[in-house]
């Protein structure tokens, strides 16, 4: 068969290869079309994104340039706003201001203030503070006496001494606070005393560095005090500012200023950079300037400008994407999103998917056509082989009994009266005629059932009545002794008696044909399950059926050929048995098979009412 199919297979293979090459080429064309369409959309998006990126970079650079003078002012003046500014000089951060107080709850500055106040009040001389407190007492006494000139001279002497004998900030601030509290006279306070609170002292009194006023000095030296000390000094300074009528709003704002902590700069910062999408920094020599930015807010006017110029419609959006901690300004990942672009990309993918599906369907159909062609050719040649085998088998099976009938009939005609050895010829003639009749009956029954032309005539019949005639049938059909035993327990079936007798006859004749033992032993037993039907087991002591052939033996025209045994037959016996069982809505299977014999299981279901 393979030799017959080879030309067809070669032709189909060549056609399938040609079709596959065409489908692959077509798919490549569709893929290139999709890539070109996406490239067009990307080029438009990239052009607008580049324009938005340049606009954002220029806006950030311009805003920083506008704030440089404010940054310098915030560094020089602690009372100037410093939030949102960044300045680093030689690796040291000046802005945002680091406002972390000393840890703990101790109040050494307050303790010093209270100690100095006690000594000033009771006139004690506390060692290193003796000279300062003595001068402070003298100045305060002059003010009480109303001698303004003498009081001013004494205050100047006190401040010069203080400037020439500088103290640490945590000691200087409590002393100056105490001095202002005792020297102030409200609105009548001298300019020199007022300068101690806010404006700062002249250079000759130590106005360079510290000495810029209690408000500024406290803010500048905040990290030298615990939070409790800072709160104490701040409260006293606020009372003094209120008493002297000095501004204190900016002092309060700077006191609440939390700052941004120490920003982490990238290594080798050499160009304007966006940090965490919150700070824009720019290195200028040894100085790094920066401002806090709201990128989303900066992109709003850029988007409005592009919309006003007709670059995109109302649904367009401009946004910054990505989460890199440091982004150079020249690489700002600005993205422009338009609804029509999204719809265009969806349409591109939908068209590509549809085209790909069509290519796949064509490929599947081509493969299915090839498979169907191969199967049809194989079935065709298989049918021709079966037909040929069937014709040869039937011809041989018909020729043999006919020749025997003719030969034995002629012999009987001449010798029956003269030779006793031919006395069994009539029996043999009957057996041959019966075999021929059984073969024809099988073929006719198979054809009628296969074509759906058999009209089932069911009736209630006892299994014993169907199986008992099998003894006489087999005795007449074969010369081998047959022993038939039954265990049917009066089982009854709703079935066509004619078909069931034909079924049991085929099973019995097969058992005799595929048997090398004498006698042939057959056993038929039945088991009735109330409400479910009946199972009949037909056993023989034949040569057995290999387990891989259990289903094949029920195929049409299929015959087993045991080794060393020549068995005649048409290959329709077991196929006809299965068709009869299917006609009764039952089934027949090989329950077990060994070289000692085979058991067939016939399952009859209870008919539905």
């Amino acid at each position: 068969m393979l030799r017959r199919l080879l030309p067809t297979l070669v032709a189909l293979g060549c056609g399938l290869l040609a079709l596959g090459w065409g489908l692959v080429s077509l798919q490549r064309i569709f893929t290139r079309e999709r890539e070109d369409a996406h490239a067009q959309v990307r080029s438009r998006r990239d052009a607008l994104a580049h324009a938005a990126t340049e606009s954002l970079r220029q806006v950030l650079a311009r805003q920083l340039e506008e704030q440089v003078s404010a940054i310098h002012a915030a560094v020089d003046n602690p009372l100037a706003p410093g939030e949102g500014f960044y300045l680093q000089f030689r690796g040291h951060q000046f802005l945002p201001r680091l406002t972390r107080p000393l840890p703990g709850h101790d109040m050494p500055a307050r303790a010093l203030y209270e100690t100095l106040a006690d000594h000033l009040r009771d006139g004690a001389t506390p060692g290193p503070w003796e000279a300062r407190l003595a001068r402070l007492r003298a100045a305060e006494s002059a003010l009480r006496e109303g001698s303004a000139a003498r009081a001013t001279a004494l205050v100047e002497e006190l401040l010069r001494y203080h400037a020439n004998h500088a103290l640490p900030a945590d000691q200087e601030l409590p002393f100056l606070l105490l001095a202002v509290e005792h020297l102030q006279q409200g609105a009548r306070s001298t300019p020199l005393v007022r300068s101690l609170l806010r404006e700062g002292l002249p250079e000759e009194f130590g106005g360079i560095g510290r000495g810029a006023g209690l408000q500024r000095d406290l803010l500048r030296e905040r990290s030298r005090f615990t939070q409790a000390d800072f709160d104490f000094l701040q409260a006293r300074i606020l009372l003094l500012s209120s008493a002297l009528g000095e501004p204190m709003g900016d002092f309060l704002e700077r006191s609440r200023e939390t700052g941004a902590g120490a920003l982490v700069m990238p290594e080798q910062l050499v160009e304007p950079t966006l940090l965490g999408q919150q700070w824009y920094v720019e290195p200028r020599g040894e100085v790094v300037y920066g401002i806090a930015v709201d990128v989303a807010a900066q992109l709003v006017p850029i988007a409005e400008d592009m919309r006003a110029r007709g670059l995109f419609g109302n649904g367009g959006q401009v946004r910054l994407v990505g989460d890199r901690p440091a982004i150079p300004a020249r690489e700002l990942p600005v993205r422009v999103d338009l609804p029509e672009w999204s719809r265009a990309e969806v349409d591109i993918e939908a068209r590509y998917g549809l085209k790909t599906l069509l290519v796949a369907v064509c490929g599947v159909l081509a493969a299915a056509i090839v498979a169907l062609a191969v199967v049809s050719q194989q079935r065709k040649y298989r049918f021709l082989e079966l037909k040929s085998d069937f014709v040869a088998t039937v011809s041989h099976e018909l020729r043999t009994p006919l020749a025997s009938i003719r030969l034995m009939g002629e012999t009987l005609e001449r010798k029956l009266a003269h030779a006793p050895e031919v006395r069994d010829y009539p029996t043999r003639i009957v057996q041959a005629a019966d075999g021929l009749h059984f073969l024809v009956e099988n073929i006719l029954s198979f054809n009628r059932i296969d074509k759906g032309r058999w009209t089932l005539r069911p009736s209630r019949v006892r299994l014993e009545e169907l199986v008992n005639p099998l003894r006489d049938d087999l005795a007449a059909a074969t010369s081998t002794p047959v022993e038939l035993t039954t265990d049917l327990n009066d089982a009854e079936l709703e079935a066509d008696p004619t078909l069931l007798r034909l079924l049991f006859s085929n099973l019995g004749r097969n058992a005799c044909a595929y048997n090398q033992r004498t006698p042939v032993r057959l056993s038929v037993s039945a088991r009735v399950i109330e409400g479910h039907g009946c199972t009949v087991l037909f056993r023989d002591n034949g040569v057995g059926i290999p387990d891989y052939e259990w289903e094949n033996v029920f195929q049409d025209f299929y015959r087993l050929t045991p080794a060393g045994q020549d068995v005649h037959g048409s290959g329709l016996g077991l196929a006809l048995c299965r068709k009869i069982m299917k006609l009764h809505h039952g089934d027949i299977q090989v329950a077990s098979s060994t070289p000692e014999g085979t058991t067939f299981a016939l399952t009859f279901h209870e008919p539905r009412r």
Side-chain angles (χ1 to χ4, degrees):
M1 182 182 297
L2 182 60
R3 184 178 301 174
R4 293 179 179 179
L5 288 175
L6 187 58
T8 302
L9 293 176
V10 171
L12 289 175
C14 293
L16 188 61
L17 288 176
L19 180 61
W21 179 82
L23 292 177
V24 170
S25 300
L26 186 61
Q27 182 64 25
R28 289 179 178 175
I29 294 174
F30 292 156
T31 302
R32 180 61 61 84
E33 290 178 352
R34 181 187 67 166
E35 293 175 352
D36 292 344
H38 280 303
Q40 291 179 1
V41 174
R42 283 196 301 270
S43 63
R44 295 170 58 192
R45 179 187 290 118
D46 293 344
L48 289 182
H50 178 72
T53 300
E54 287 298 313
S55 298
L56 178 61
R57 186 180 62 79
Q58 293 174 7
V59 167
L60 295 177
R62 184 172 62 252
Q63 287 184 350
L64 177 61
E65 188 63 33
E66 293 173 352
Q67 297 295 334
V68 168
S69 59
I71 293 173
H72 287 162
V75 173
D76 296 336
N77 183 6
L79 291 176
E83 289 185 303
F85 296 150
Y86 179 84
L87 187 137
Q88 182 191 88
F89 180 68
R90 294 182 179 178
H92 178 71
Q93 176 181 317
F94 289 90
L95 293 176
R97 300 182 179 102
L98 301 178
T99 59
R100 293 188 294 270
L102 290 176
H105 302 283
D106 296 337
M107 302 176 67
R110 179 172 182 172
L112 177 61
Y113 171 85
E114 293 175 349
T115 299
L116 294 176
D118 292 341
H119 291 319
L120 182 64
R121 184 173 54 254
D122 58 21
T125 54
W129 295 98
E130 178 181 359
R132 286 180 173 82
L133 291 179
R135 287 173 172 79
L136 179 56
R137 289 192 200 98
E140 185 180 11
S141 176
L143 287 174
R144 283 197 301 267
E145 294 173 356
S147 177
R150 181 170 176 271
T152 300
L154 290 173
V155 170
E156 291 179 356
E157 181 183 355
L158 170 63
L159 294 179
R160 287 192 182 93
Y161 180 85
H162 183 71
N164 294 330
H165 300 81
L167 296 172
D170 55 349
Q171 297 179 13
E172 181 178 282
L173 283 173
F175 172 75
L176 289 178
L177 175 61
L178 180 66
V180 175
E181 287 178 343
H182 283 269
L183 297 176
Q184 65 90 14
Q185 292 178 308
R188 296 182 297 106
S189 298
T190 62
L192 195 58
V193 173
R194 288 179 177 275
S195 65
L196 282 173
L197 180 63
R198 179 174 174 88
E199 297 302 326
L201 296 171
E203 182 177 352
E204 59 181 304
F205 299 115
I208 301 300
R210 291 198 299 267
L214 285 174
Q215 292 183 0
R216 290 184 177 85
D217 287 344
L218 180 61
L219 293 175
R220 182 180 289 115
E221 304 297 339
R222 184 172 186 170
S223 60
R224 295 178 179 271
F225 300 96
T226 64
Q227 186 63 44
D229 260 347
F230 178 83
D231 293 340
F232 168 75
L233 295 174
Q234 179 192 17
R236 305 296 298 184
I237 292 174
L238 288 174
L239 289 175
L240 277 176
S241 300
S242 177
L244 296 178
E246 294 291 330
M248 56 183 176
D250 51 357
F251 175 62
L252 277 173
E253 290 180 2
R254 302 292 84 74
S255 298
R256 301 190 193 102
E257 187 177 285
T258 59
L263 297 185
V264 179
M265 289 289 108
E267 295 182 1
Q268 298 180 350
L269 183 66
V270 296
E271 59 181 321
T273 302
L274 187 66
L275 300 179
Q277 300 189 14
Q278 296 179 340
W279 288 89
Y280 176 75
V281 296
E282 180 179 330
R284 298 182 181 179
E286 296 181 324
V287 182
V288 179
Y289 294 96
I291 56 173
V293 295
D294 185 351
V295 177
Q298 300 297 335
L299 289 175
V300 171
I302 295 175
E304 292 177 351
D305 178 67
M306 299 179 75
R307 193 177 293 113
R309 289 188 289 166
L311 297 179
F312 53 75
N314 294 329
Q317 293 182 349
V318 181
R319 58 191 179 93
L320 193 67
V321 298
D323 56 355
R324 292 166 56 188
I327 307 173
R330 57 182 173 81
E331 300 176 4
L332 290 175
V334 177
R335 177 168 177 169
V336 179
D337 292 322
L338 298 182
E340 53 265 30
W341 290 348
S342 300
R343 290 193 295 269
E345 290 184 337
V346 171
D347 292 341
I348 292 171
E349 290 299 324
R351 290 195 298 269
Y352 175 75
L354 180 59
K355 293 176 181 179
T356 301
L357 179 62
L358 291 176
V359 171
V361 169
C362 291
V364 172
L365 289 177
I369 291 172
V370 170
L372 289 175
V374 173
V375 171
S376 63
Q377 289 295 318
Q378 190 267 344
R379 294 270 179 120
K380 172 185 175 182
Y381 289 122
R382 176 61 179 166
F383 173 77
L384 293 176
E385 289 181 355
L386 290 175
K387 180 179 178 181
S388 177
D389 293 344
F390 176 72
V391 172
T393 299
V394 172
S395 299
H396 175 74
E397 294 297 327
L398 291 177
R399 188 184 302 113
T400 300
L402 287 176
S404 298
I405 292 172
R406 181 185 180 90
L407 178 61
M408 287 183 286
E410 291 176 352
T411 304
L412 280 176
E413 184 180 2
R414 293 193 304 270
K415 300 183 178 181
L416 183 58
H418 306 287
E421 65 274 8
V422 297
R423 292 175 183 175
D424 63 337
Y425 277 22
T427 301
R428 294 170 63 185
I429 291 174
V430 171
Q431 288 179 350
D434 285 344
L436 180 61
H437 178 269
F438 185 77
L439 175 62
V440 173
E441 184 68 20
N442 265 5
I443 295 174
L444 292 177
S445 299
F446 181 88
N447 185 60
R448 290 175 61 187
I449 294 174
D450 191 50
K451 299 297 184 182
R453 298 173 183 171
W454 186 284
T455 302
L456 196 66
R457 296 180 176 86
S459 63
R460 199 68 180 177
V461 59
R462 295 174 63 247
L463 273 175
E464 193 73 35
E465 298 175 359
L466 299 176
V467 175
N468 281 337
L470 186 60
R471 291 187 177 90
D472 299 334
D473 182 27
L474 295 179
T478 180
S479 58
T480 304
V482 178
E483 293 182 2
L484 175 63
T485 59
T486 61
D487 182 14
L488 302 176
N489 297 325
D490 296 328
E492 294 184 352
L493 294 174
E494 190 78 19
D496 189 326
T498 303
L499 288 180
L500 288 192
R501 289 191 184 98
L502 183 61
L503 183 149
F504 286 120
S505 180
N506 271 288
L507 291 177
R509 288 173 182 258
N510 271 3
C512 295
Y514 291 90
N515 204 310
Q516 297 179 347
R517 297 180 177 88
T518 302
V520 175
R521 290 188 173 86
L522 304 178
S523 173
V524 183
S525 60
R527 182 166 57 113
V528 178
I529 303 176
E530 190 66 28
H532 294 280
C534 175
T535 299
V536 178
L537 299 179
F538 191 99
R539 300 181 180 86
D540 62 45
N541 62 342
V543 297
I545 303 173
D547 53 1
Y548 56 85
E549 296 280 13
W550 283 9
E551 278 300 314
N552 295 333
V553 295
F554 294 101
Q555 295 180 11
D556 301 347
F557 310 112
Y558 193 88
R559 296 173 59 198
L560 288 179
T561 305
Q565 186 177 0
D566 186 16
V567 179
H568 299 283
S570 63
L572 287 178
L574 290 179
L576 180 60
C577 290
R578 175 159 284 185
K579 290 183 180 294
I580 292 173
M581 290 302 299
K582 294 292 184 184
L583 201 60
H584 285 82
H585 306 290
D587 194 17
I588 179 172
Q589 299 287 343
V590 178
S592 64
S593 185
T594 67
E596 302 301 321
T598 301
T599 300
F600 291 91
L602 290 72
T603 303
F604 295 89
H605 299 292
E606 188 74 17
R608 297 179 179 176
R609 300 297 181 184

